[in-house]
Amino acid sequence: MTIRVLAAGDHFVQNRLLIDALRREVPGEVDVRELTLPWPVEPFGRVGEVDEASDVEDALIEALSGVEVCVTQMAPLTRRVLDASPDLRLFCVSRGGPVNANLEAAARAGVAVTYAPGRNAVATAEHTLAMLLAATRRIPQTHADLAGGVWRGDYYTYDSVGPELEGGTAGLIGYGAIGSRVARMLAGFGAQVLVHDPYVDVPGKVKLPELLERSRFVSLHARATPETTGMIGAAEIAAMPRGSVLVNCARGALLDYDALCDALESGHLFGAAMDVFPEEPIPPGSRLLTAPNLVMTPHLAGASKETAMKAASIVAADVARYVRGEPLAHLATLRATP
């Protein structure tokens, strides 16, 4: 039986990666059509009732005509798309979570939604460590000065230099696929690792107040939920030792960014490194653009060639399970059968 599939890739998880993975996993079983989405050349946003999607409802509806399976990263699975796509039965999102899919509406329409957990765990863990080192050793600032022709010896003064990871205490808030990898990396540097995560039981697990009070380095790895939104605010940052470093490569909703800027401006925090923000792109006039000792990257911690290839492979494997009538491995809503 031949399955008609729409590969709705973009400029990161490219259609060629999705199609190659489908050919490997389901040889001779798929009839693939393509739609290229504009992300990340054009930023994602809210589309209809879903978040973090490319605004391509009309083009997606047209491309889904007669299509049973869609593999994508940023296509919006909205009520409007579902209502206009009666043949659709499986929607595979090549991301760590299917935030661009209306799961309730998909369930009512009989469309199964899958996702790709762990696709960017290695990339994000490596980026987290790079950000921590960059903030602690002030690499971006010193590079910018040198590139501008300025040699600043005062960076070597005792009050200007940062702490070492070896022998220090690092606190990880969240211990999933990313946090656990960061823990292993930090242990390799000789740091003592503390963990706060209500869903795991591991050595070094402590309650949040103890983690904050003891950790010179704190890195956020929790998911954004109603319980974790705003979990690190002014009081939590104040509980960290003076001269600490705070890193967030998880979600902007976890952190009070005004409190972060206050702590950087006062010198309570030695430095910070952020890959995610409360509003993306960062708006002009934001305090983040002038806060001292802040390292920033534009939400690309998970960006690596391997991430894109893993994402394609994970969703293609679930398409193969669907074709074979097997249970789907990464199901976010009800099960589908061909």
Side-chain angles (χ1 to χ4, degrees), residues 5-11 13-16 18-19 32-38 54-64 70-76:
V5 178
L6 173 66
D10 48 57
H11 299 290
V13 181
Q14 298 178 338
N15 277 333
R16 66 177 181 86
L18 292 168
I19 293 169
V32 182
R33 66 175 60 168
E34 299 181 45
L35 174 67
T36 299
L37 307 188
S54 291
D55 190 3
V56 293
E57 278 185 304
D58 290 340
L60 182 63
I61 288 170
E62 181 178 354
L64 284 173
C70 178
V71 291
T72 188
Q73 179 179 221
M74 293 293 176

Side-chain angles (χ1 to χ4, degrees), residues 116-133:
R119 66 166 196 160
N120 64 356
V122 173
T124 304
E126 291 180 353
H127 194 88
T128 297
L129 187 62
M131 293 284 273
L132 175 58
L133 290 169

